[in-house]
Amino acid sequence: MSISLADARRSALMAQGFGRSPPPRATAAHIHKVAGRTGLFQIDSVNVLARAQYLPAFSRIGGYDRSLLERAAWGPKGQRRFFEYWAHEASLLPLDLHPLLRWRMARAERGEIGYRALRRFATDRRGEADAVLARIAAEGPLTAADFENGASRSGWWEWSDVKHALEWLFWSGRITTATRRGSFARVYDLPDRVLPPAVLALPTPPVAEAQRALVERSARALGIATAADLRDYYRLRPEEADHAIADLADEGVLVPMRVEGWSQKAWRHRDAPPPRRVRGAALLAPFDPLIWERGRTERLFGFRYRIEIYVPRERRTHGYYVLPFLLDEALVARVDLKADRHAGVLLAHRITLELGAPDDTLPRLHAELARMANWLGLSDVRVGAIIRALA
């Protein structure tokens, strides 16, 4: 079966929940529905605008009370709707995904996955990790800095031994995030003191079955996807995903597709609705699931996007924290944004309009910036340079 590139874009946008009218008043149920569609909210600590986990829901349902997400993610056990774990990257995940990722926890516990420095705590440094775990069990929730000499020694990449032990325990599922503290530091505790008992009591499926379920969820979330796209969504290796893709295809759950202009075979979930025209406007976080895989973004939208946070200022093309602007079915602009909380201003340092951006791009972008400023509790929007891309 063949599909046009325009319909492939529509399928992707619909699967991710775009094109729907935002509710008059967004509730926790709306946030959970977004998470059900996207499958996760990727976490990032950069706070120049708002931390990445808050932005996908705003892009789809408009302004909402961020404390609703915080309670669902880090609140009392009875209010939990999410847990933290490594999925695409560090992510907030709906609780029903916990059983589907226990095979990954088990492999981390055996030292089969994870960074080299972490894997050592599964073998020759296991006693050190056990000592860290015992202290959390005895004392309750702790951060890395709560341990003697537990803070990073001299920068982001030089983690202490305790931090490595904590990360291995986290990968292996023996501890989880109780809450976040201060400058977004993870506070660790035992899963049975954090997660609802009903979730921990859910049966653990066989590994192949869990991987199949993850691939199927990826297909639903992506709308239209290559095999590489399906693997990437939950960071599955070929040997972890390809058997699931083949089984789902044999059973007719995944339908093979040919997308105009794509060299790779694509797949679509059999329950995906027919593509229809999508209308709406949204600013997209750099880690939004619609665009986080940059090659897929180019294939779908003809839009080359790279985050430039780690690029020296003089070598940046578009800015420090740049959000693509989705207008209906196209990515039509890039906006370098910063929340100046002291001044109460949303700063759009630079707006770059893409080739072919429609005439109503700027008015609709200004409306979206005003909506974002209101959501962030900022009283004004200040726009700097406006640049039109050259052919």
Side-chain angles (χ1 to χ4, degrees):
M1 186 180 297
S2 296
I3 186 173
S4 69
L5 182 58
D7 277 346
R9 279 194 297 268
R10 289 166 183 155
S11 292
L13 289 165
M14 290 169 59
Q16 283 285 309
F18 290 100
R20 299 165 179 266
S21 298
R25 179 177 174 272
T27 65
H30 292 108
I31 297 169
H32 302 155
K33 186 173 286 188
V34 172
R37 286 185 174 277
T38 63
L40 73 166
F41 296 135
Q42 185 172 329
I43 296 170
D44 191 78
S45 62
V46 174
N47 198 27
V48 67
L49 178 65
R51 290 192 171 97
Q53 62 270 16
Y54 297 107
L55 288 163
F58 170 76
S59 299
R60 290 156 177 80
I61 62 175
Y64 69 95
D65 183 347
R66 281 172 287 169
S67 69
L68 295 174
L69 179 58
E70 290 164 358
R71 282 198 294 273
W74 303 297
K77 185 188 294 189
Q79 297 180 23
R80 295 269 172 151
R81 296 294 180 271
F82 300 101
F83 72 104
E84 281 192 39
Y85 192 60
W86 290 98
H88 184 77
E89 294 289 340
S91 304
L92 288 175
L93 299 150
L95 288 171
D96 64 346
L97 272 169
H98 192 275
L100 303 184
L101 290 164
R102 290 176 190 162
W103 62 271
R104 182 172 285 168
M105 298 175 190
R107 289 187 177 177
E109 199 272 340
R110 295 192 297 267
E112 296 172 2
I113 60 173
Y115 306 111
R116 181 179 179 184
L118 302 190
R119 294 198 304 269
R120 294 183 60 192
F121 288 95
T123 54
D124 57 308
R125 303 188 69 174
R126 185 72 169 246
E128 296 171 57
D130 287 343
V132 169
L133 181 64
R135 182 168 169 188
I136 292 172
E139 298 182 24
L142 295 171
T143 67
D146 290 325
F147 289 82
E148 291 85 4
N149 300 317
S152 292
R153 285 192 292 267
S154 59
W156 183 257
W157 300 113
E158 295 184 31
W159 287 357
S160 68
D161 290 341
V162 167
K163 180 61 176 173
H164 283 301
L166 287 165
E167 282 299 303
W168 175 75
L169 289 166
F170 180 81
W171 270 77
S172 63
R174 300 175 74 190
I175 58 174
T176 190
T177 306
T179 188
R180 294 279 186 159
R181 183 185 297 165
S183 59
F184 206 55
R186 204 184 259 149
V187 182
Y188 301 94
D189 202 355
L190 305 181
D192 60 5
R193 296 202 293 227
V194 173
L195 302 179
V199 172
L200 297 175
L202 290 171
T204 301
V207 174
E209 183 180 320
Q211 292 166 347
R212 171 193 164 107
L214 290 172
V215 169
E216 184 173 359
R217 289 188 183 220
S218 300
R220 290 182 183 275
L222 289 165
I224 191 85
T226 65
D229 296 335
L230 292 171
R231 292 192 296 262
D232 176 74
Y233 208 80
Y234 289 106
R235 291 289 201 252
L236 298 171
R237 300 171 181 173
E239 65 271 19
E240 296 167 347
D242 289 353
H243 68 87
I245 295 171
D247 289 348
L248 291 166
D250 287 344
E251 295 172 20
V253 177
L254 294 182
V255 179
M257 307 289 291
R258 288 291 176 189
V259 178
E260 173 192 2
W262 290 16
S263 60
Q264 312 98 316
K265 180 194 291 186
W267 300 97
R268 189 174 174 203
H269 197 282
R270 67 183 173 194
D271 296 334
R276 64 176 185 273
R277 294 178 72 84
V278 175
R279 291 289 177 262
L283 287 158
L284 303 176
F287 309 110
D288 191 291
L290 181 68
I291 58 169
W292 66 25
E293 210 299 299
R294 310 310 189 201
R296 174 180 165 83
T297 302
E298 290 188 47
R299 276 185 276 119
L300 275 172
F301 296 99
F303 185 91
R304 189 176 191 278
Y305 177 52
R306 301 292 185 271
I307 190 166
E308 298 182 275
I309 290 174
Y310 308 109
V311 176
R313 180 191 297 270
E314 65 276 8
R315 291 171 51 195
R316 291 179 196 143
T317 303
H318 299 290
Y320 179 76
Y321 200 74
V322 175
L323 276 66
F325 180 50
L326 174 69
L327 188 60
D328 300 330
E329 299 174 359
L331 297 173
V332 299
R334 307 161 195 256
V335 191
D336 182 18
L337 284 175
K338 176 183 172 131
D340 186 338
R341 298 172 181 89
H342 179 73
V345 174
L346 178 61
L347 300 172
H349 293 299
R350 169 180 169 142
I351 296 171
T352 304
L353 300 175
E354 295 293 296
L355 287 172
D359 293 341
D360 62 346
T361 296
L362 282 175
R364 293 178 70 180
L365 174 56
H366 283 299
E368 195 63 19
L369 290 170
R371 187 167 71 140
M372 177 174 277
N374 182 63
W375 174 58
L376 296 175
L378 304 173
S379 59
D380 196 11
V381 177
R382 197 169 299 157
V383 176
I386 300 176
I387 297 169
R388 295 185 180 273
L390 300 175

